[in-house]
Amino acid sequence: MHERRRFFFLNRASHGWFRRNTMSSYSQRMVHLLDQRSSRRDLPGAIVPVGIYWGRAPNREGSVFRLLLSENWAVTSRLKRLVNLFLSRRDIVAHLGPPLPLAELASAEGNGDGLRTLRRAARLLRVRLRNQRVATMGPDLSHQRTVARQILRSRSVRAVIEAEGDAAERARLEKRARQYAREIASNLSYPTIRILEKLLRWLWNRIYQGVTFHGRERLTTVAEDHTLIYVPSHRSHLDYLLLSYLLYQQGLMIPHIAAGDNLDLPLLGSVLRRGGAFFMRRSFRDNPLYAAVFSEYLYQVYRRGHSVEFFPEGGRTRTGRLLPARLGLLKMTLEHHQRGIPRPLALIPVYLGYEKLVEAGSYLDELKGAEKRRESLGDVFRSLRLIRQNFGVVDVKIGQPLVLQDWLQESGEKSSAAESADPGSNADALGREIMTRINAAAALNPVNLVALITLSTPKVAIEENTLLLQIRCYVDLLRRNAAHHDYALPDQSAEDMVARVESLGMLKRESEPYGDVLSHEPFTALLMTWYRNNIVHVLALPSLIACLVRDRRRPARLESLQRMTLTVFPYIADELQTPESADAVERWLGHLVDGGLLTRDADGGYTAPPVHVPEHYQLRLLARLVMPTLERLYIVISLLYQAGQGVHTRQSLQEHSHQVARKMSRLHGLNAPEFFDVRLFNRFVDALIRNDVVNEAAADRLVWAPIVEEVLRAAEHIIDPDFRFAVRQEP
């Protein structure tokens, strides 16, 4: 078939420049193409839906200028398109959707008449173009002013109001509910978004040497037929600005962002609200009306197909490692899914990695014990001095999307009926899965790779050649395992990575007769723990294997290593939220042997290399990556065992473990401010109870299983003797 032009318009103007484009008639090229298909069943080719958007504004009632300037959901005339060609020439987005094969139309219609085929093709194209439009612009917001009325009419909100018997009290609650809705709701404004886009582009160019976005293709596969929920890691106040900016640059809709009400400051709060933020109180457990209004607002946003962004950690991490997921918004999301959403929900994990953190100074103060400061408008103006600094490169990486319906079906098959029906149980499992997927999308940079090595040395100082060898060692190990992970690895040489960290002022060089020594200033050394904790999970399993092998006099058998790893690694994985599973021991042993870090004898036993070769020291540095986690686990297990059965409660064990960790950190000079973080000990105790290693008996007293003794015996080969002795001296 030969065509003079290979495109046609689905919407066509009847006649004249002022007539709107409609579907009142079909393009003759489309009719001709489908007639050709009817006569030739083997006709190759496909119809590709193409959407072109001239200024991406949701359809809002407002000024005439905005109606002229912006793309919207209303059917428009040729004249408006011509005007937009000039007014929106710098904000044009073109999307090519998935092709519609002609053979698919033929097989679907069979021997149907041509008109039926024509109508079906037009219907499929309209659906695909509409999905493109939603993914690009967001849903039609023409009736956004009715959202508050819908919230007040919802069953959940009415139930709270009608529970009051007094009419005056009901009227007061209804007025308060309306105030809550205004307090919460975003007010997305396209002019504000355009201004912010220009300001942020200027800001990123001033403070960053690059912003890298990985994984756009993962978004495009789900954006057109799912409602997206972005669940990023929360490391900085710039996280949500960066993500929204990048999504806008990629031609995707701006998400509605759940923000804490501490950011609803004068002036700043209004700007954020117009940029898509909706505000929530930190806690509203004791306010059922607010909880009902907020939940209903979130449901309305989901129901209308708008993308949403919230931080599952709840707040920014001060230690650099991911915090456990907070379950409030996840529970609401599960409830709204059960209630029914037109488009299926897909959660999009996002990893944000910084070479140099803007809030580094305040984080360091908090790590040293200072109280967290409440945000104020003055902080915004004080931050303007940041534009004179260099904060390196930022990596933003999209993780593997989680389609909620599919995940619930898979998890339901693995759980009992009672667990599957429990929203709390589902939310907890969903939270762990999300955090694991965020860490699975880690993007490694020179700063956190260097921190991973230098902080494993006793004096936080290392010879340059040794540092270069260890960088190559870690990158080589991860590349050998590339088929089993999704990490983004730096493409620079080891020398360039070291030079990069030096240029950021985070590595100090001292020239000595025997070679250059690299180290950190005391302030920087503490801060580097934050960057190390971003990625320590990527080598957690080989680090544990190195711990089990490095000091053994006899070769370690595969079966023995697998048994010990299966016993200990689940607790490491729980703390670090690593995607690696304990059944990968044999694979990692192979990588370590290939990299020269382990040797394997004729009988299949594994041993450390001889002490005099560089690989032996490389293995020891690798082993130290998970040592702080193992030491915390040892403190908990040892205190539990020493006290005896039925002595400690959950609370007393957590408090005693925290006190001992503080002492050990001081006496042993552990260069990790989070070593005695009480939340980590709480998490260990919870994991021990969840895995039935420890159980709560009468009066909430803890009794432990025999495996506790086995873990303590295994620790004799791993934990430093001085450390073990100091812990055992505790009463």
Side-chain angles (χ1 to χ4, degrees), residues 46 50 447:
V50 180
V447 175

PDB file of all heavy atoms in Angstrom, residues 46 50 447:
ATOM      1  N   ALA A  46       1.190  -0.686  11.649  1.00  0.00           N
ATOM      2  CA  ALA A  46       0.500  -0.401  12.901  1.00  0.00           C
ATOM      3  C   ALA A  46       0.144   1.074  12.937  1.00  0.00           C
ATOM      4  O   ALA A  46       0.743   1.902  12.250  1.00  0.00           O
ATOM      5  CB  ALA A  46       1.381  -0.770  14.095  1.00  0.00           C
ATOM      6  N   VAL A  50      -0.240   9.474  18.762  1.00  0.00           N
ATOM      7  CA  VAL A  50       0.714  10.543  19.073  1.00  0.00           C
ATOM      8  C   VAL A  50      -0.042  11.689  19.728  1.00  0.00           C
ATOM      9  O   VAL A  50      -0.998  12.219  19.159  1.00  0.00           O
ATOM     10  CB  VAL A  50       1.432  11.049  17.800  1.00  0.00           C
ATOM     11  CG1 VAL A  50       2.411  12.162  18.161  1.00  0.00           C
ATOM     12  CG2 VAL A  50       2.142   9.905  17.096  1.00  0.00           C
ATOM     13  N   VAL A 447      31.695   9.380  46.742  1.00  0.00           N
ATOM     14  CA  VAL A 447      31.756   9.741  48.158  1.00  0.00           C
ATOM     15  C   VAL A 447      31.383   8.565  49.041  1.00  0.00           C
ATOM     16  O   VAL A 447      32.109   8.225  49.989  1.00  0.00           O
ATOM     17  CB  VAL A 447      30.846  10.953  48.449  1.00  0.00           C
ATOM     18  CG1 VAL A 447      30.808  11.242  49.951  1.00  0.00           C
ATOM     19  CG2 VAL A 447      31.332  12.176  47.696  1.00  0.00           C
TER      20      VAL A 447
END
